Amino acid sequence: NPQPNLMKNLKENFESKYGESPLFYAFAPGRVNLIGEHIDYCGYSVLPMAIEQNILAAVSVNNSGKIQLANANPKYKDFSVSCSEEIAIDRDDPQWYYYFLCGVKGIQEKFGLNHLAGMSCVIDGTIPPSSGLSSSSALVCCSGLVTMEANQKSLSKVALAEICAKSERYIGTEGGGMDQSISFLAEAGTAKLIEFQPLRATDVKLPDGAVFVISNCCVEMNKAASSHYNIRVVECRIATKMLAQARGVDSSRLLKLAHVQMELKASLEEMLALVDEVLHPEPYSREEICKVLGITSEQFSTELLSANTQDMTQFKLHQRAKHVYGEAARVLQFKSVCDSEPADAKRLLGELMNQSHASCRDLYECSCPELDQLVDICLKSGAVGSRLTGAGWGGCAVSMVPSEKVESFLQAVREEYYLPDPRRAAMEKQSLFVSKPGGGAAIFLEE
C-alpha cells in the first residue's frame, strides 16, 4: 500500500469532487533502468527496478455512461468522455488524460467492450513528470488496471503489461515495453531482467553494501511531444534492414536489431564486428538507403518512418547499431556479475554503468549537457558508476553509491549541482533521492 497520507488526501479530494467515496484504489510504480537503455524496442533484454514513487488512482464505478477524470494537481485539467463513443487520442497534444485513455482503449479493445462501465477517477502521483522515470507509462498501466477492474475482467500481469505497452503507442511513442513490464512485474527488494518475446521477468539480486541514488538534472523531456525518441527507433529499424541486406537475409519481415542477430545465429561481438564492416560512420541520406534496400522514396516514408519522423533527412546507422549491440552485451554482463557476486562486484557494475553512459552520450546521442555535468559530479562525489536513465535528452541519472558514502554523496551533489542554481535548488527535494526496488502495480480496497 502506498503512502498513507497520500491516500488520505486522495480520498478527501475524491469525496469533495464527486460527493461519494471511492470503491477501490490502484497504483502503478515508476521505474529506474539500471542498464540497457534504448534497446527494448530493438528486442533486447533490459534491467530495471520499480521505484517507490507511483501513480495512484481513486475510483468509483457507476452507470453514468461517462468516464470522468480529475487530477489532484490543479495544473492538470479535468476531462470527461462518453463510454459509448470511440475514444480519440490526440497525438499532437499529449495531455495527461490521453495517457489514461491509452490504458482504457487497450482494455476496451482486448475484450471488445462496446460499452465501458462508467467511472469517476481522481489521479495523483509522486513520480516527477518528464523526468525519465516513466510517469507516463505508470499512468497508462494504472489506467489499464483500473479499467480492467471496473469492467470486472481479469488478466495476468504479463498480459496487462503487453496490452499497456501496445496501447501507449496510441499517443505516438514507439516504445519497447520495458516501462509497462516493470510497472506490473516488479517485486520489492529485487531488480528484474526483463526479456521480450515471450515477455518474462527474472529476479536480479543487487549487491549488498551499495545503494542506487536518482538525481534529476531538471531538464524536462516528454517523449510524445518531441521526435528524438522515435527518430532513434527509426534509425535502428533502418540499420536492421541494411545489416540483413548485406548478409543476404530477407529483410522484409525484420524490424528489430535483435531479429538480425537471431537470423544470423551470431554473437553480440560478431554483430558489433558486422556493424563496423557494413555500416559507414558518416550519416546516411534517404537516397543511399533507398538504393541499398532497393525501395522507392514512397516505400521509405510509409514502411520505415513514423508519423513524427517524416522530415528526417540524415540517419546515423553505424552509431545507433553499435550502441544497441554493445548495450545488450552490458546488460548480460551486469546480470552475470550480480548472479556470481565476485568480491569486486560494485567496481565491475560501476564500470558497466559508466560505459553505458558514454555509449548513450557519444553513439546514441541521447544525453544533454546538464545530464553529462550531473553524471560527472556524481562520479566525483563518490559514485562507483553513474549514467543517464530513461530516454535521456533530460531527466534523471542513476548512480551506484557504496552505502557508507551515501550521506556525503548526497551532500556533495546537492552543493555542486542543485544549490548554485535557484531553479534547481527549488526542485532539489524531489530531485535527489535514494531508491530501493519497489513492488509492482496493484488494486486495493480501503484499509
Side-chain angles (χ1 to χ4, degrees):
N1 183 349
Q3 307 84 334
N5 50 347
L6 199 64
M7 289 278 309
K8 188 166 149 300
N9 294 347
L10 185 63
K11 183 177 189 214
E12 285 165 10
N13 202 317
F14 188 97
E15 287 166 347
S16 73
K17 178 98 196 156
Y18 299 117
E20 57 174 340
S21 286
L23 176 64
F24 65 88
Y25 299 84
F27 76 92
R31 61 99 192 95
V32 57
N33 190 21
L34 300 177
I35 198 154
E37 221 57 77
H38 283 281
I39 63 173
D40 57 344
Y41 54 75
C42 296
Y44 285 110
S45 307
V46 290
L47 213 152
M49 69 184 194
I51 55 177
E52 293 158 275
Q53 287 83 343
N54 54 47
I55 297 283
L56 188 57
V59 187
S60 69
V61 180
N62 51 53
N63 47 20
S64 65
K66 285 202 302 263
I67 294 173
Q68 299 190 79
L69 302 175
N71 198 303
N73 182 338
K75 108 172 192 197
Y76 298 113
K77 53 180 193 281
D78 293 4
F79 187 77
S80 135
V81 60
S82 153
C83 291
S84 47
E85 63 192 54
E86 165 134 24
I87 291 173
I89 291 163
D90 184 356
R91 289 181 165 200
D92 297 323
D93 181 26
Q95 296 287 339
W96 77 273
Y97 43 79
Y98 288 133
Y99 289 95
F100 192 95
L101 293 179
C102 284
V104 175
K105 201 170 163 78
I107 295 296
Q108 181 180 35
E109 292 188 345
K110 166 72 182 170
F111 291 104
L113 302 169
N114 295 329
H115 203 84
L116 290 158
M119 298 191 285
S120 300
C121 310
V122 177
I123 308 297
D124 199 355
T126 50
I127 310 170
S130 302
S131 64
L133 300 175
S134 292
S135 55
S136 48
S137 298
L139 180 52
V140 175
C141 291
C142 189
S143 156
L145 190 54
V146 158
T147 307
M148 177 191 85
E149 182 70 12
N151 289 277
Q152 301 180 330
K153 298 295 179 193
S154 171
L155 286 165
S156 70
K157 288 177 175 186
V158 165
L160 271 164
E162 292 188 313
I163 288 165
C164 290
K166 207 165 107 202
S167 70
E168 192 169 325
R169 295 185 191 138
Y170 291 127
I171 203 109
T173 305
E174 302 202 29
M178 161 172 63
D179 303 346
Q180 301 83 0
S181 304
I182 189 68
S183 197
F184 283 111
L185 303 174
E187 288 179 81
T190 178
K192 295 275 184 181
L193 178 77
I194 306 264
E195 299 170 89
F196 302 97
Q197 291 177 320
L199 176 58
R200 56 194 186 278
T202 312
D203 289 1
V204 177
K205 183 189 171 296
L206 298 169
D208 295 326
V211 296
F212 288 91
V213 179
I214 295 171
S215 51
N216 190 345
C217 78
C218 304
V219 173
E220 293 204 345
M221 155 63 179
N222 179 327
K223 292 206 293 268
S226 63
S227 59
H228 301 304
Y229 185 90
N230 283 0
I231 285 172
R232 295 296 178 273
V233 177
V234 164
E235 287 175 315
C236 290
R237 194 179 293 156
I238 297 168
T240 298
K241 307 264 182 205
M242 300 285 274
L243 291 169
Q245 183 81 12
R247 279 292 171 267
V249 171
D250 171 21
S251 69
S252 59
R253 45 192 185 79
L254 299 180
L255 291 170
K256 297 179 179 181
L257 287 166
H259 296 164
V260 195
Q261 185 195 354
M262 283 167 1
E263 280 293 311
L264 298 176
K265 300 185 173 51
S267 67
L268 286 165
E269 286 63 34
E270 288 167 329
M271 292 311 295
L272 283 165
L274 182 64
V275 169
D276 282 337
E277 183 193 325
V278 169
L279 299 172
H280 56 67
E282 303 73 34
Y284 283 75
S285 65
R286 287 184 179 223
E287 297 69 37
E288 184 178 1
I289 295 164
C290 289
K291 198 170 145 202
V292 172
L293 296 180
I295 57 173
T296 64
S297 176
E298 166 77 356
Q299 282 173 303
F300 183 86
S301 293
T302 53
E303 292 167 24
L304 294 176
L305 299 182
S306 59
N308 67 348
T309 56
Q310 291 294 325
D311 6 342
M312 285 179 72
T313 55
Q314 291 208 311
F315 306 83
K316 292 191 174 179
L317 307 182
H318 176 272
Q319 293 83 341
R320 307 317 183 220
K322 194 130 186 158
H323 164 76
V324 170
Y325 291 129
E327 188 77 348
R330 281 187 285 276
V331 170
L332 301 178
Q333 289 164 320
F334 195 98
K335 178 170 190 296
S336 136
V337 171
C338 290
D339 290 349
S340 60
E341 302 185 48
D344 58 347
K346 292 198 277 280
R347 182 184 64 78
L348 294 169
L349 297 177
E351 276 174 13
L352 290 167
M353 291 173 75
N354 295 338
Q355 289 164 15
S356 169
H357 184 74
S359 181
C360 287
R361 181 190 63 213
D362 303 336
L363 294 174
Y364 222 69
E365 296 178 277
C366 62
S367 190
C368 67
E370 294 83 353
L371 264 175
D372 292 338
Q373 182 201 0
L374 178 55
V375 163
D376 286 343
I377 288 171
C378 288
L379 291 170
K380 280 214 303 273
S381 303
V384 289
S386 188
R387 58 180 293 278
L388 67 82
T389 185
W393 297 288
C396 289
V398 57
S399 301
M400 185 175 174
V401 183
S403 306
E404 68 278 6
K405 288 191 183 168
V406 175
E407 286 316 313
S408 61
F409 173 85
L410 293 170
Q411 190 52 37
V413 174
R414 202 174 280 131
E415 285 171 11
E416 285 277 308
Y417 190 79
Y418 293 98
L419 299 183
D421 176 308
R423 187 175 153 270
R424 290 177 193 167
M427 295 170 69
E428 184 252 326
K429 288 276 180 285
Q430 68 270 31
S431 296
L432 179 65
F433 52 90
V434 174
S435 191
K436 298 184 195 62
I443 293 278
F444 52 100
L445 306 169
E446 231 172 309
E447 298 294 301

